Amino acid sequence: MELQVTNSPFNQEQIELLNRLIPTLNDGQKTWLSGYLTAIQGNAAVTAPAGGIQQPVQSAGAAPANTPTVSREVTVLFGSQTGNSSGLSKKLAKKLEEQGLQVTLSAMGDFKPNGLKKIENLLIIVSTHGEGEPPDNAIPLHEFLHSKRAPKLDGLRYSVLALGDTSYEFFCQTGKDFDTRLQELGGTALVPRVDCDVDFDEAAAEWMNDVLASLSSTPASAGTVTSEAVGAAGSSDESEFNRTNPFKAEVLENLNLNGRGSDRETRHIELSLEGSNLDYEPGDSLGVYPENHPRLVDELIATMEWNADERVTVNKSGEQVSVREALLRYFEITAVTKPVVEQLAKLSPDSGLPALLADGSEFRKVMNSCDLLDLVQDYGLKGISAASFIAVLRKIPARLYSIASSSKSFPDEVHLTVRTVRYESHGRERYGVCSVHLAERTEIGDTLPVFIQQNPNFKLPDNPDVPIIMVGPGTGVAPFRSFLGEREETGAEGKTWLFYGDQHFSTDFLYQTEWQRWLKDGVLTKMDVAFSRDAEEKVYVQHRMLEHSKEMYRWIQDGAVIYICGDEKRMAHDVHAALATILEQEGGLTPEQAAEYLTRLQQEKRYQRDVY
């Protein structure tokens, strides 16, 4: 029997009651009732099934309906290195559940790839790490989908939210990879992929709302996702302060950790979090919003012949500040990104920018070595108004630093370890935006806008008796100061082993007295150091690991968790190779078996990396 439902037989309260009933039913009943509720609110034709539906639905007065095809089950997978994708996924899952959908939320590293064949609705939120590489916890699924074992996914509906940074050549590459491959395997896009730059709030919120609308029969029932809610993703739920509403933290201490004669400058920064309700765990990061160097700002204004005091709009709310203020505090001017160059080329079509964009290799050189001052000087961009120029710039992104303190050791404080970056290029001195801001223009008593970035991918083991191996040369040692401070305060009994390296013992041994105290007190069981410039032959942390390969293998066999923090381009790869060599030498594994072993350690969260 088929009938046309022209008016809903239920009021809104009854419909919400029926939606809450869905999870208690068997699969057939879930499908039937979900479809019926969709039909009665969409004036659709419905067909009564034989035998109707069992109690308690009949008691609500529901008329029989047809069996619908829309699934109410959604799987949300995230691939995250620093925590942004994880935080966004949790926000999305909560909204989906509020709309009566059954949600499975999982990190990609915890998901069994063979389960893809059973999924009808898949949502992926994934960042791109380094130069187009997947984040660590996304590697197994990424490799599986691009292997011959990947199944056909003809019944899959999916969508991808890709996080990235337009200052990198392979912007959002991992998200693009997933989108392309799922389509090749037969999947159909629920909504198109969205690629997000570092300022992802609005784009992510729009994607979430499109996804919610495509999956829900009543898209307005749970409200929309706002950019403010997205901005809070990955932050503490206990505080009002987050990435879009940073806390102004007072500077308590600002010291140079390097000794006299060192060619390096490493700042130890202590900040007060008093009154913020911000909380963090060892392994989390602190986001700091820096200011551009005044010298660069003034040179850019002079080159473009702008009036520094002219008022320009800096956000959608219409706030106006001077040109100089806008370039100092609101917009990025040290990175050349493709979207910005494309917009500037439209403003100055007779400049050399259209030709630059057409030459991929030349554009890559510019993107990797130039700032906006170089761009306007080299490509003749005079004549663009300050308002038009500033309107195409992206917001200055926060810099994330691994937290170097335990909140149990230093309540209401957070500590950072920051290497100051200075170098010369194209005949001009260049500055690390945040590091030089902290080193040269931040005094005790000043305030910095900060927020906590939770990082669930870099955490101490739940069991305090589990041994840990920490590899952190240079500023990569920062989170391990946090780890050991935490273990000292909690009385953890697990063994600890730290590998640390830098250039010179006499001038570059960061936090030396603290490591020595922890060694004396037994908080730090063992420490090996490598100072690369103190001998004729350079020695790095990976060499120390290989020197102790037998003992390292025993620790790993005893269940130790391995942590790596620091430079991603060279150090992390060298340390990974050293671990593989140790497994081959001491465990008798082939290179393929050693690679599989390390992958398994990552999946078991026994091999964690915080690399940049």
Side-chain angles (χ1 to χ4, degrees):
M1 177 180 69
E2 184 175 274
L3 67 154
Q4 186 75 26
V5 182
T6 57
N7 291 292
S8 171
F10 305 120
N11 60 33
Q12 187 60 38
E13 184 177 348
Q14 290 170 322
I15 289 173
E16 291 175 358
L17 177 63
L18 289 171
N19 271 314
R20 289 197 296 271
L21 179 66
I22 289 173
T24 69
L25 305 176
N26 63 39
D27 289 343
Q29 293 169 341
K30 289 177 183 176
T31 303
W32 184 91
L33 183 55
S34 298
Y36 179 70
L37 291 173
T38 301
I40 63 175
Q41 294 171 87
N43 293 341
V46 294
T47 303
I53 190 168
Q54 301 172 4
Q55 294 286 349
V57 174
Q58 286 180 342
S59 65
N66 70 324
T67 301
T69 59
V70 179
S71 171
R72 303 290 292 173
E73 297 180 359
V74 184
T75 298
V76 180
L77 299 180
F78 62 87
S80 182
Q81 195 73 33
T82 62
N84 281 329
S85 294
S86 173
L88 290 173
S89 296
K90 291 174 183 176
K91 294 284 183 185
L92 175 60
K94 183 179 179 182
K95 278 292 181 183
L96 291 166
E97 288 172 344
E98 288 174 357
Q99 294 200 0
L101 293 157
Q102 299 170 60
V103 181
T104 299
L105 174 65
S106 175
M108 289 182 177
D110 297 333
F111 177 75
K112 294 182 179 179
N114 287 330
L116 282 172
K117 293 180 290 187
K118 303 175 183 177
I119 295 175
E120 292 184 44
N121 298 307
L122 173 64
L123 303 175
I124 284 179
I125 302 180
V126 65
S127 61
T128 293
H129 186 55
E131 294 295 341
E133 298 175 4
D136 286 352
N137 69 351
I139 291 173
L141 181 61
H142 188 270
E143 291 180 347
F144 174 82
L145 283 173
H146 288 82
S147 73
K148 294 181 179 180
R149 294 179 296 144
K152 293 295 292 180
L153 300 171
D154 294 329
L156 178 71
R157 303 194 307 162
Y158 75 93
S159 188
V160 177
L161 180 69
L163 303 186
D165 184 338
T166 51
S167 65
Y168 286 86
E169 179 181 355
F170 300 103
F171 171 61
C172 285
Q173 187 61 50
T174 302
K176 294 174 182 177
D177 289 347
F178 276 111
D179 185 28
T180 300
R181 188 56 178 155
L182 290 172
Q183 187 177 18
E184 290 173 349
L185 294 171
T188 303
L190 276 164
V191 298
R193 183 190 78 244
V194 169
D195 297 337
C196 299
D197 200 359
V198 288
D199 182 26
F200 55 76
D201 305 332
E202 292 182 5
E206 289 178 9
W207 177 82
M208 287 188 186
N209 287 323
D210 288 344
V211 164
L212 290 165
S214 71
L215 289 170
S216 175
S217 58
T218 54
S221 63
T224 57
V225 180
T226 65
S227 58
E228 289 78 11
V230 168
S235 301
S236 170
D237 293 332
E238 302 299 322
S239 175
E240 65 181 292
F241 298 105
N242 51 54
R243 194 168 55 84
T244 54
N245 181 35
F247 175 71
K248 292 185 178 179
E250 182 182 355
V251 179
L252 303 175
E253 190 62 87
N254 188 344
L255 298 171
N256 182 9
L257 294 175
N258 294 95
R260 184 176 299 174
S262 175
D263 62 358
R264 298 188 162 189
E265 180 182 5
T266 309
R267 311 303 297 192
H268 172 78
I269 313 288
E270 298 183 3
L271 301 168
S272 172
L273 296 179
E274 187 173 0
S276 68
N277 282 330
L278 287 171
D279 193 20
Y280 63 89
E281 296 179 353
D284 288 343
S285 298
L286 188 77
V288 181
Y289 283 103
E291 295 179 7
N292 287 309
H293 201 291
R295 188 179 306 161
L296 179 61
V297 170
D298 293 338
E299 289 179 359
L300 180 59
I301 291 172
T303 300
M304 294 299 290
E305 299 178 352
W306 292 329
N307 177 359
D309 297 323
E310 178 188 341
R311 308 293 284 182
V312 291
T313 302
V314 293
N315 53 39
K316 289 189 175 182
S317 66
E319 180 184 359
Q320 290 197 331
V321 301
S322 70
V323 168
R324 190 172 192 274
E325 179 84 358
L327 295 176
L328 270 175
R329 295 186 172 88
Y330 287 85
F331 296 102
E332 182 168 64
I333 60 174
T334 55
V336 173
T337 68
K338 192 170 185 179
V340 168
V341 176
E342 288 173 340
Q343 292 302 313
L344 290 176
K346 293 177 183 178
L347 294 173
S348 184
D350 296 330
S351 69
L353 292 186
L356 173 65
L357 288 166
D359 187 341
S361 61
E362 183 62 26
F363 181 77
R364 281 191 291 273
K365 291 179 184 177
V366 170
M367 189 168 67
N368 292 330
S369 63
C370 295
D371 57 25
L372 285 180
L373 179 58
D374 295 317
L375 200 71
V376 301
Q377 290 175 334
D378 295 345
Y379 291 89
L381 297 187
K382 288 184 181 180
I384 302 176
S385 70
S388 297
F389 192 100
I390 287 172
V392 306
L393 301 182
R394 72 174 186 174
K395 294 178 182 176
I396 191 166
R399 271 53 174 181
L400 292 178
Y401 294 103
S402 301
I403 292 174
S405 56
S406 162
S407 60
K408 290 183 173 62
S409 301
F410 300 94
D412 288 329
E413 290 184 19
V414 62
H415 299 175
L416 302 179
T417 311
V418 181
R419 178 70 45 83
T420 306
V421 177
R422 298 185 185 89
Y423 62 98
E424 187 172 308
S425 177
H426 299 277
R428 187 157 51 84
E429 189 172 1
R430 312 295 167 123
Y431 315 95
V433 177
C434 195
S435 65
V436 171
H437 177 201
L438 295 174
E440 295 183 357
R441 307 191 307 280
T442 302
E443 305 289 342
I444 293 174
D446 290 346
T447 61
L448 293 169
V450 304
F451 61 93
I452 300 296
Q453 178 71 52
Q454 296 173 342
N455 186 358
N457 303 312
F458 202 74
K459 284 286 173 282
L460 281 166
D462 293 333
N463 183 351
D465 295 330
V466 169
I468 60 175
I469 299 170
M470 302 164 285
V471 184
T475 57
V477 82
F480 304 134
R481 183 175 181 264
S482 172
F483 280 19
L484 292 175
E486 185 85 359
R487 282 207 155 187
E488 179 180 39
E489 292 296 326
T490 59
E493 297 291 335
K495 295 189 297 181
T496 57
W497 189 353
L498 175 63
F499 289 89
Y500 171 76
D502 215 312
Q503 290 191 350
H504 298 286
F505 172 86
S506 60
T507 60
D508 305 320
F509 198 166
L510 307 183
Y511 301 116
Q512 178 183 359
T513 58
E514 294 189 46
W515 310 128
Q516 291 173 334
R517 178 177 65 80
W518 276 326
L519 280 166
K520 179 181 177 182
D521 295 344
V523 176
L524 181 57
T525 309
K526 184 176 175 64
M527 184 175 188
D528 285 282
V529 297
F531 293 98
S532 59
R533 304 302 193 272
D534 283 347
E536 289 186 12
E537 187 172 346
K538 293 180 181 179
V539 178
Y540 298 105
V541 287
Q542 64 267 22
H543 300 128
R544 295 295 185 227
M545 292 167 62
L546 291 170
E547 289 172 6
H548 298 280
S549 62
K550 283 185 169 53
E551 189 172 2
M552 275 206 73
Y553 185 72
R554 283 199 301 271
W555 278 54
I556 294 171
Q557 291 299 101
D558 289 341
V561 180
I562 305 165
Y563 299 91
I564 314 295
C565 183
D567 171 57
E568 191 271 340
K569 287 183 173 65
R570 295 185 60 181
M571 182 278 297
H573 290 280
D574 292 340
V575 169
H576 186 88
L579 287 170
T581 300
I582 290 168
L583 293 173
E584 293 169 31
Q585 289 180 351
E586 308 303 334
L589 304 182
T590 65
E592 294 76 15
Q593 289 171 331
E596 290 175 2
Y597 193 104
L598 288 173
T599 297
R600 190 163 62 251
L601 287 181
Q602 285 183 312
Q603 292 172 330
E604 295 171 354
K605 296 182 173 55
R606 287 186 52 208
Y607 178 23
Q608 302 180 29
R609 306 195 312 165
D610 180 11
V611 295
Y612 38 85

